[in-house]
Each structure stands twice: as C-alpha cells, then as structure tokens.
Amino acid sequence: MMLGRWVELMRGRTRDRQKSRIVVADSSSAAYRSAVADYDAFVEVARQVKEPAFTVGTAYDSTGAEISIRLGVNDLAVHALIQGGTGTGKTTFVTGFVAWALAHGVPIGVIDCKAGF
C-alpha cells in the first residue's frame, strides 16, 4: 500500500487527475455556453435600452446574473393590455407605470374596464 502511494506520487498521477478535471470542467463549460447561447440572446438587447426607461422587472441569464428588463420611452407609445388573475399585481404594476410616466413627462392614458383603478 505504501509502495503504491510512492509510485503514484513519483508518476504524478495526482497532478494528472487535477489536469483532467480542469479539462473536463472547461469543456463542459464551453458546451453549456454553446447550448444556452440562444437563451442569453436577450441580455445584450436588455442592456442596450437607453435612459429614461421604465423597469418592468428582472430576469436572469444562464450564469445567474440579474438583468434589468426595461422599456425605453420610445417603446412606451403603444397600446397594452394588462391581464391576470386576482391578486397578481396588475393594479400595482399599472399604478407604478403611470406614476413613472407622469414623473418623466411621458403622455399616458388609462382605460379601466372594471373601474377598480
């Protein structure tokens, strides 16, 4: 048993294992990045949104980094329908959006078909 460890030490097998683990980790990382490249396509687009911009929320890229999802002022001049179940935050979202738009001088109008706003 002692002789086996000595031979292993002399041959550098421990270093070989470390090197092989590094190679496997690097190739796995490269394969993972290649596999999720389409998933991360939104990151560059999200980072290019210019200020002033309304923050809709956050998302995470394939590495777990938090990415702010924002709408630029030019993208706000559209019609939108906000829908969801009871208690999902529709009114809170729209109230925050209207407050942000008014604070930044962005013209806005709201039609609330249920009269809860």
PDB file of all heavy atoms in Angstrom, residues 52-84:
ATOM      1  N   PRO A  52     -34.246  57.708 -20.368  1.00  0.00           N
ATOM      2  CA  PRO A  52     -35.064  57.165 -19.300  1.00  0.00           C
ATOM      3  C   PRO A  52     -35.805  55.911 -19.764  1.00  0.00           C
ATOM      4  O   PRO A  52     -36.218  55.826 -20.920  1.00  0.00           O
ATOM      5  CB  PRO A  52     -36.036  58.285 -18.966  1.00  0.00           C
ATOM      6  CG  PRO A  52     -36.168  59.055 -20.227  1.00  0.00           C
ATOM      7  CD  PRO A  52     -34.839  58.931 -20.924  1.00  0.00           C
ATOM      8  N   ALA A  53     -35.943  54.982 -18.868  1.00  0.00           N
ATOM      9  CA  ALA A  53     -36.608  53.720 -19.183  1.00  0.00           C
ATOM     10  C   ALA A  53     -37.363  53.227 -17.959  1.00  0.00           C
ATOM     11  O   ALA A  53     -36.910  53.406 -16.831  1.00  0.00           O
ATOM     12  CB  ALA A  53     -35.590  52.686 -19.632  1.00  0.00           C
ATOM     13  N   PHE A  54     -38.496  52.622 -18.193  1.00  0.00           N
ATOM     14  CA  PHE A  54     -39.318  52.067 -17.123  1.00  0.00           C
ATOM     15  C   PHE A  54     -38.903  50.627 -16.867  1.00  0.00           C
ATOM     16  O   PHE A  54     -38.877  49.808 -17.785  1.00  0.00           O
ATOM     17  CB  PHE A  54     -40.808  52.127 -17.506  1.00  0.00           C
ATOM     18  CG  PHE A  54     -41.710  51.498 -16.493  1.00  0.00           C
ATOM     19  CD1 PHE A  54     -41.920  52.098 -15.261  1.00  0.00           C
ATOM     20  CD2 PHE A  54     -42.340  50.299 -16.763  1.00  0.00           C
ATOM     21  CE1 PHE A  54     -42.754  51.513 -14.326  1.00  0.00           C
ATOM     22  CE2 PHE A  54     -43.181  49.707 -15.839  1.00  0.00           C
ATOM     23  CZ  PHE A  54     -43.388  50.317 -14.610  1.00  0.00           C
ATOM     24  N   THR A  55     -38.567  50.309 -15.628  1.00  0.00           N
ATOM     25  CA  THR A  55     -38.161  48.944 -15.271  1.00  0.00           C
ATOM     26  C   THR A  55     -39.400  48.082 -15.078  1.00  0.00           C
ATOM     27  O   THR A  55     -40.213  48.346 -14.192  1.00  0.00           O
ATOM     28  CB  THR A  55     -37.298  48.938 -14.000  1.00  0.00           C
ATOM     29  OG1 THR A  55     -36.150  49.745 -14.232  1.00  0.00           O
ATOM     30  CG2 THR A  55     -36.873  47.524 -13.638  1.00  0.00           C
ATOM     31  N   VAL A  56     -39.523  47.075 -15.920  1.00  0.00           N
ATOM     32  CA  VAL A  56     -40.653  46.152 -15.850  1.00  0.00           C
ATOM     33  C   VAL A  56     -40.382  45.081 -14.800  1.00  0.00           C
ATOM     34  O   VAL A  56     -41.270  44.664 -14.063  1.00  0.00           O
ATOM     35  CB  VAL A  56     -40.894  45.484 -17.228  1.00  0.00           C
ATOM     36  CG1 VAL A  56     -42.001  44.461 -17.146  1.00  0.00           C
ATOM     37  CG2 VAL A  56     -41.201  46.528 -18.269  1.00  0.00           C
ATOM     38  N   GLY A  57     -39.148  44.639 -14.713  1.00  0.00           N
ATOM     39  CA  GLY A  57     -38.778  43.599 -13.759  1.00  0.00           C
ATOM     40  C   GLY A  57     -37.343  43.171 -13.991  1.00  0.00           C
ATOM     41  O   GLY A  57     -36.552  43.898 -14.590  1.00  0.00           O
ATOM     42  N   THR A  58     -37.028  41.985 -13.536  1.00  0.00           N
ATOM     43  CA  THR A  58     -35.687  41.447 -13.722  1.00  0.00           C
ATOM     44  C   THR A  58     -35.769  40.036 -14.275  1.00  0.00           C
ATOM     45  O   THR A  58     -36.770  39.346 -14.107  1.00  0.00           O
ATOM     46  CB  THR A  58     -34.886  41.417 -12.402  1.00  0.00           C
ATOM     47  OG1 THR A  58     -35.619  40.678 -11.436  1.00  0.00           O
ATOM     48  CG2 THR A  58     -34.635  42.813 -11.876  1.00  0.00           C
ATOM     49  N   ALA A  59     -34.714  39.651 -14.939  1.00  0.00           N
ATOM     50  CA  ALA A  59     -34.580  38.292 -15.463  1.00  0.00           C
ATOM     51  C   ALA A  59     -33.174  37.824 -15.113  1.00  0.00           C
ATOM     52  O   ALA A  59     -32.354  38.604 -14.618  1.00  0.00           O
ATOM     53  CB  ALA A  59     -34.794  38.272 -16.972  1.00  0.00           C
ATOM     54  N   TYR A  60     -32.893  36.581 -15.350  1.00  0.00           N
ATOM     55  CA  TYR A  60     -31.581  36.021 -15.064  1.00  0.00           C
ATOM     56  C   TYR A  60     -31.025  35.362 -16.318  1.00  0.00           C
ATOM     57  O   TYR A  60     -31.753  34.676 -17.026  1.00  0.00           O
ATOM     58  CB  TYR A  60     -31.663  34.995 -13.924  1.00  0.00           C
ATOM     59  CG  TYR A  60     -32.112  35.620 -12.636  1.00  0.00           C
ATOM     60  CD1 TYR A  60     -33.449  35.662 -12.295  1.00  0.00           C
ATOM     61  CD2 TYR A  60     -31.197  36.204 -11.774  1.00  0.00           C
ATOM     62  CE1 TYR A  60     -33.879  36.260 -11.118  1.00  0.00           C
ATOM     63  CE2 TYR A  60     -31.598  36.797 -10.601  1.00  0.00           C
ATOM     64  CZ  TYR A  60     -32.940  36.818 -10.283  1.00  0.00           C
ATOM     65  OH  TYR A  60     -33.343  37.430  -9.116  1.00  0.00           O
ATOM     66  N   ASP A  61     -29.734  35.585 -16.569  1.00  0.00           N
ATOM     67  CA  ASP A  61     -29.111  34.918 -17.701  1.00  0.00           C
ATOM     68  C   ASP A  61     -28.691  33.515 -17.294  1.00  0.00           C
ATOM     69  O   ASP A  61     -28.947  33.085 -16.168  1.00  0.00           O
ATOM     70  CB  ASP A  61     -27.949  35.738 -18.272  1.00  0.00           C
ATOM     71  CG  ASP A  61     -26.759  35.832 -17.332  1.00  0.00           C
ATOM     72  OD1 ASP A  61     -26.760  35.185 -16.266  1.00  0.00           O
ATOM     73  OD2 ASP A  61     -25.813  36.560 -17.674  1.00  0.00           O
ATOM     74  N   SER A  62     -28.055  32.799 -18.177  1.00  0.00           N
ATOM     75  CA  SER A  62     -27.701  31.399 -17.918  1.00  0.00           C
ATOM     76  C   SER A  62     -26.661  31.240 -16.824  1.00  0.00           C
ATOM     77  O   SER A  62     -26.510  30.158 -16.267  1.00  0.00           O
ATOM     78  CB  SER A  62     -27.198  30.740 -19.198  1.00  0.00           C
ATOM     79  OG  SER A  62     -26.037  31.408 -19.659  1.00  0.00           O
ATOM     80  N   THR A  63     -25.954  32.311 -16.475  1.00  0.00           N
ATOM     81  CA  THR A  63     -24.973  32.231 -15.388  1.00  0.00           C
ATOM     82  C   THR A  63     -25.567  32.652 -14.055  1.00  0.00           C
ATOM     83  O   THR A  63     -24.892  32.629 -13.042  1.00  0.00           O
ATOM     84  CB  THR A  63     -23.743  33.109 -15.681  1.00  0.00           C
ATOM     85  OG1 THR A  63     -24.155  34.479 -15.737  1.00  0.00           O
ATOM     86  CG2 THR A  63     -23.072  32.701 -16.978  1.00  0.00           C
ATOM     87  N   GLY A  64     -26.834  33.089 -14.078  1.00  0.00           N
ATOM     88  CA  GLY A  64     -27.490  33.511 -12.853  1.00  0.00           C
ATOM     89  C   GLY A  64     -27.370  35.001 -12.577  1.00  0.00           C
ATOM     90  O   GLY A  64     -27.854  35.480 -11.556  1.00  0.00           O
ATOM     91  N   ALA A  65     -26.749  35.749 -13.470  1.00  0.00           N
ATOM     92  CA  ALA A  65     -26.617  37.195 -13.288  1.00  0.00           C
ATOM     93  C   ALA A  65     -27.973  37.860 -13.512  1.00  0.00           C
ATOM     94  O   ALA A  65     -28.696  37.522 -14.448  1.00  0.00           O
ATOM     95  CB  ALA A  65     -25.589  37.766 -14.255  1.00  0.00           C
ATOM     96  N   GLU A  66     -28.303  38.818 -12.644  1.00  0.00           N
ATOM     97  CA  GLU A  66     -29.575  39.518 -12.736  1.00  0.00           C
ATOM     98  C   GLU A  66     -29.503  40.593 -13.820  1.00  0.00           C
ATOM     99  O   GLU A  66     -28.573  41.380 -13.866  1.00  0.00           O
ATOM    100  CB  GLU A  66     -29.887  40.163 -11.386  1.00  0.00           C
ATOM    101  CG  GLU A  66     -31.283  40.701 -11.281  1.00  0.00           C
ATOM    102  CD  GLU A  66     -31.606  41.157  -9.877  1.00  0.00           C
ATOM    103  OE1 GLU A  66     -31.877  40.294  -9.024  1.00  0.00           O
ATOM    104  OE2 GLU A  66     -31.555  42.377  -9.647  1.00  0.00           O
ATOM    105  N   ILE A  67     -30.511  40.611 -14.681  1.00  0.00           N
ATOM    106  CA  ILE A  67     -30.588  41.564 -15.786  1.00  0.00           C
ATOM    107  C   ILE A  67     -31.882  42.361 -15.637  1.00  0.00           C
ATOM    108  O   ILE A  67     -32.958  41.768 -15.537  1.00  0.00           O
ATOM    109  CB  ILE A  67     -30.605  40.838 -17.157  1.00  0.00           C
ATOM    110  CG1 ILE A  67     -29.461  39.834 -17.281  1.00  0.00           C
ATOM    111  CG2 ILE A  67     -30.625  41.832 -18.291  1.00  0.00           C
ATOM    112  CD1 ILE A  67     -28.098  40.431 -17.306  1.00  0.00           C
ATOM    113  N   SER A  68     -31.783  43.696 -15.622  1.00  0.00           N
ATOM    114  CA  SER A  68     -32.978  44.535 -15.558  1.00  0.00           C
ATOM    115  C   SER A  68     -33.671  44.535 -16.912  1.00  0.00           C
ATOM    116  O   SER A  68     -33.032  44.738 -17.938  1.00  0.00           O
ATOM    117  CB  SER A  68     -32.606  45.974 -15.190  1.00  0.00           C
ATOM    118  OG  SER A  68     -32.164  46.029 -13.863  1.00  0.00           O
ATOM    119  N   ILE A  69     -34.975  44.334 -16.894  1.00  0.00           N
ATOM    120  CA  ILE A  69     -35.775  44.390 -18.107  1.00  0.00           C
ATOM    121  C   ILE A  69     -36.517  45.720 -18.079  1.00  0.00           C
ATOM    122  O   ILE A  69     -37.347  45.964 -17.202  1.00  0.00           O
ATOM    123  CB  ILE A  69     -36.770  43.209 -18.187  1.00  0.00           C
ATOM    124  CG1 ILE A  69     -36.028  41.874 -18.086  1.00  0.00           C
ATOM    125  CG2 ILE A  69     -37.599  43.295 -19.460  1.00  0.00           C
ATOM    126  CD1 ILE A  69     -35.000  41.646 -19.178  1.00  0.00           C
ATOM    127  N   ARG A  70     -36.171  46.589 -19.041  1.00  0.00           N
ATOM    128  CA  ARG A  70     -36.704  47.945 -19.062  1.00  0.00           C
ATOM    129  C   ARG A  70     -37.292  48.273 -20.419  1.00  0.00           C
ATOM    130  O   ARG A  70     -36.881  47.717 -21.431  1.00  0.00           O
ATOM    131  CB  ARG A  70     -35.585  48.948 -18.732  1.00  0.00           C
ATOM    132  CG  ARG A  70     -34.945  48.672 -17.396  1.00  0.00           C
ATOM    133  CD  ARG A  70     -33.723  49.523 -17.131  1.00  0.00           C
ATOM    134  NE  ARG A  70     -32.728  49.308 -18.178  1.00  0.00           N
ATOM    135  CZ  ARG A  70     -31.929  50.266 -18.647  1.00  0.00           C
ATOM    136  NH1 ARG A  70     -31.975  51.470 -18.163  1.00  0.00           N
ATOM    137  NH2 ARG A  70     -31.059  50.006 -19.592  1.00  0.00           N
ATOM    138  N   LEU A  71     -38.246  49.190 -20.417  1.00  0.00           N
ATOM    139  CA  LEU A  71     -38.841  49.692 -21.649  1.00  0.00           C
ATOM    140  C   LEU A  71     -38.408  51.134 -21.829  1.00  0.00           C
ATOM    141  O   LEU A  71     -38.623  51.967 -20.947  1.00  0.00           O
ATOM    142  CB  LEU A  71     -40.367  49.623 -21.583  1.00  0.00           C
ATOM    143  CG  LEU A  71     -40.991  48.240 -21.519  1.00  0.00           C
ATOM    144  CD1 LEU A  71     -42.492  48.357 -21.306  1.00  0.00           C
ATOM    145  CD2 LEU A  71     -40.702  47.481 -22.801  1.00  0.00           C
ATOM    146  N   GLY A  72     -37.805  51.442 -22.969  1.00  0.00           N
ATOM    147  CA  GLY A  72     -37.410  52.810 -23.267  1.00  0.00           C
ATOM    148  C   GLY A  72     -38.622  53.676 -23.568  1.00  0.00           C
ATOM    149  O   GLY A  72     -39.704  53.172 -23.893  1.00  0.00           O
ATOM    150  N   VAL A  73     -38.469  54.986 -23.467  1.00  0.00           N
ATOM    151  CA  VAL A  73     -39.581  55.912 -23.691  1.00  0.00           C
ATOM    152  C   VAL A  73     -40.208  55.705 -25.061  1.00  0.00           C
ATOM    153  O   VAL A  73     -41.433  55.726 -25.196  1.00  0.00           O
ATOM    154  CB  VAL A  73     -39.096  57.374 -23.520  1.00  0.00           C
ATOM    155  CG1 VAL A  73     -40.179  58.358 -23.920  1.00  0.00           C
ATOM    156  CG2 VAL A  73     -38.682  57.620 -22.090  1.00  0.00           C
ATOM    157  N   ASN A  74     -39.413  55.474 -26.094  1.00  0.00           N
ATOM    158  CA  ASN A  74     -39.961  55.278 -27.442  1.00  0.00           C
ATOM    159  C   ASN A  74     -40.805  54.014 -27.550  1.00  0.00           C
ATOM    160  O   ASN A  74     -41.694  53.925 -28.392  1.00  0.00           O
ATOM    161  CB  ASN A  74     -38.843  55.237 -28.478  1.00  0.00           C
ATOM    162  CG  ASN A  74     -38.138  56.568 -28.606  1.00  0.00           C
ATOM    163  OD1 ASN A  74     -38.704  57.610 -28.268  1.00  0.00           O
ATOM    164  ND2 ASN A  74     -36.909  56.538 -29.070  1.00  0.00           N
ATOM    165  N   ASP A  75     -40.532  53.036 -26.718  1.00  0.00           N
ATOM    166  CA  ASP A  75     -41.293  51.790 -26.745  1.00  0.00           C
ATOM    167  C   ASP A  75     -42.587  51.874 -25.942  1.00  0.00           C
ATOM    168  O   ASP A  75     -43.385  50.949 -25.947  1.00  0.00           O
ATOM    169  CB  ASP A  75     -40.447  50.638 -26.203  1.00  0.00           C
ATOM    170  CG  ASP A  75     -39.244  50.364 -27.069  1.00  0.00           C
ATOM    171  OD1 ASP A  75     -39.347  50.553 -28.295  1.00  0.00           O
ATOM    172  OD2 ASP A  75     -38.194  49.976 -26.529  1.00  0.00           O
ATOM    173  N   LEU A  76     -42.787  52.986 -25.233  1.00  0.00           N
ATOM    174  CA  LEU A  76     -43.983  53.126 -24.400  1.00  0.00           C
ATOM    175  C   LEU A  76     -45.178  53.646 -25.185  1.00  0.00           C
ATOM    176  O   LEU A  76     -46.302  53.607 -24.701  1.00  0.00           O
ATOM    177  CB  LEU A  76     -43.691  54.063 -23.227  1.00  0.00           C
ATOM    178  CG  LEU A  76     -42.592  53.586 -22.277  1.00  0.00           C
ATOM    179  CD1 LEU A  76     -42.356  54.626 -21.198  1.00  0.00           C
ATOM    180  CD2 LEU A  76     -42.936  52.255 -21.668  1.00  0.00           C
ATOM    181  N   ALA A  77     -44.955  54.160 -26.390  1.00  0.00           N
ATOM    182  CA  ALA A  77     -46.038  54.723 -27.187  1.00  0.00           C
ATOM    183  C   ALA A  77     -46.775  53.624 -27.936  1.00  0.00           C
ATOM    184  O   ALA A  77     -46.835  53.603 -29.152  1.00  0.00           O
ATOM    185  CB  ALA A  77     -45.478  55.763 -28.157  1.00  0.00           C
ATOM    186  N   VAL A  78     -47.320  52.706 -27.187  1.00  0.00           N
ATOM    187  CA  VAL A  78     -48.052  51.586 -27.769  1.00  0.00           C
ATOM    188  C   VAL A  78     -49.284  51.302 -26.914  1.00  0.00           C
ATOM    189  O   VAL A  78     -49.406  51.794 -25.801  1.00  0.00           O
ATOM    190  CB  VAL A  78     -47.179  50.301 -27.826  1.00  0.00           C
ATOM    191  CG1 VAL A  78     -45.985  50.496 -28.710  1.00  0.00           C
ATOM    192  CG2 VAL A  78     -46.748  49.883 -26.445  1.00  0.00           C
ATOM    193  N   HIS A  79     -50.167  50.510 -27.452  1.00  0.00           N
ATOM    194  CA  HIS A  79     -51.312  50.056 -26.676  1.00  0.00           C
ATOM    195  C   HIS A  79     -50.891  48.817 -25.897  1.00  0.00           C
ATOM    196  O   HIS A  79     -50.076  48.034 -26.382  1.00  0.00           O
ATOM    197  CB  HIS A  79     -52.485  49.703 -27.596  1.00  0.00           C
ATOM    198  CG  HIS A  79     -53.020  50.878 -28.328  1.00  0.00           C
ATOM    199  ND1 HIS A  79     -52.508  51.275 -29.536  1.00  0.00           N
ATOM    200  CD2 HIS A  79     -53.997  51.763 -28.014  1.00  0.00           C
ATOM    201  CE1 HIS A  79     -53.170  52.346 -29.945  1.00  0.00           C
ATOM    202  NE2 HIS A  79     -54.070  52.661 -29.044  1.00  0.00           N
ATOM    203  N   ALA A  80     -51.455  48.640 -24.719  1.00  0.00           N
ATOM    204  CA  ALA A  80     -51.106  47.467 -23.920  1.00  0.00           C
ATOM    205  C   ALA A  80     -52.343  46.950 -23.200  1.00  0.00           C
ATOM    206  O   ALA A  80     -53.242  47.717 -22.860  1.00  0.00           O
ATOM    207  CB  ALA A  80     -50.038  47.819 -22.899  1.00  0.00           C
ATOM    208  N   LEU A  81     -52.360  45.678 -23.000  1.00  0.00           N
ATOM    209  CA  LEU A  81     -53.409  45.046 -22.219  1.00  0.00           C
ATOM    210  C   LEU A  81     -52.717  44.352 -21.061  1.00  0.00           C
ATOM    211  O   LEU A  81     -51.825  43.515 -21.265  1.00  0.00           O
ATOM    212  CB  LEU A  81     -54.172  44.013 -23.069  1.00  0.00           C
ATOM    213  CG  LEU A  81     -55.131  43.097 -22.306  1.00  0.00           C
ATOM    214  CD1 LEU A  81     -56.288  43.918 -21.735  1.00  0.00           C
ATOM    215  CD2 LEU A  81     -55.648  42.002 -23.219  1.00  0.00           C
ATOM    216  N   ILE A  82     -53.102  44.722 -19.858  1.00  0.00           N
ATOM    217  CA  ILE A  82     -52.547  44.085 -18.664  1.00  0.00           C
ATOM    218  C   ILE A  82     -53.634  43.182 -18.115  1.00  0.00           C
ATOM    219  O   ILE A  82     -54.715  43.653 -17.761  1.00  0.00           O
ATOM    220  CB  ILE A  82     -52.153  45.144 -17.590  1.00  0.00           C
ATOM    221  CG1 ILE A  82     -51.288  46.248 -18.186  1.00  0.00           C
ATOM    222  CG2 ILE A  82     -51.499  44.460 -16.406  1.00  0.00           C
ATOM    223  CD1 ILE A  82     -49.964  45.786 -18.721  1.00  0.00           C
ATOM    224  N   GLN A  83     -53.363  41.906 -18.073  1.00  0.00           N
ATOM    225  CA  GLN A  83     -54.370  40.980 -17.562  1.00  0.00           C
ATOM    226  C   GLN A  83     -53.723  39.951 -16.662  1.00  0.00           C
ATOM    227  O   GLN A  83     -52.534  39.692 -16.751  1.00  0.00           O
ATOM    228  CB  GLN A  83     -55.129  40.308 -18.694  1.00  0.00           C
ATOM    229  CG  GLN A  83     -54.301  39.354 -19.525  1.00  0.00           C
ATOM    230  CD  GLN A  83     -55.109  38.732 -20.648  1.00  0.00           C
ATOM    231  OE1 GLN A  83     -55.947  39.390 -21.259  1.00  0.00           O
ATOM    232  NE2 GLN A  83     -54.874  37.468 -20.909  1.00  0.00           N
ATOM    233  N   GLY A  84     -54.525  39.395 -15.788  1.00  0.00           N
ATOM    234  CA  GLY A  84     -54.044  38.377 -14.859  1.00  0.00           C
ATOM    235  C   GLY A  84     -55.111  38.083 -13.841  1.00  0.00           C
ATOM    236  O   GLY A  84     -56.141  38.769 -13.762  1.00  0.00           O
TER     237      GLY A  84
END
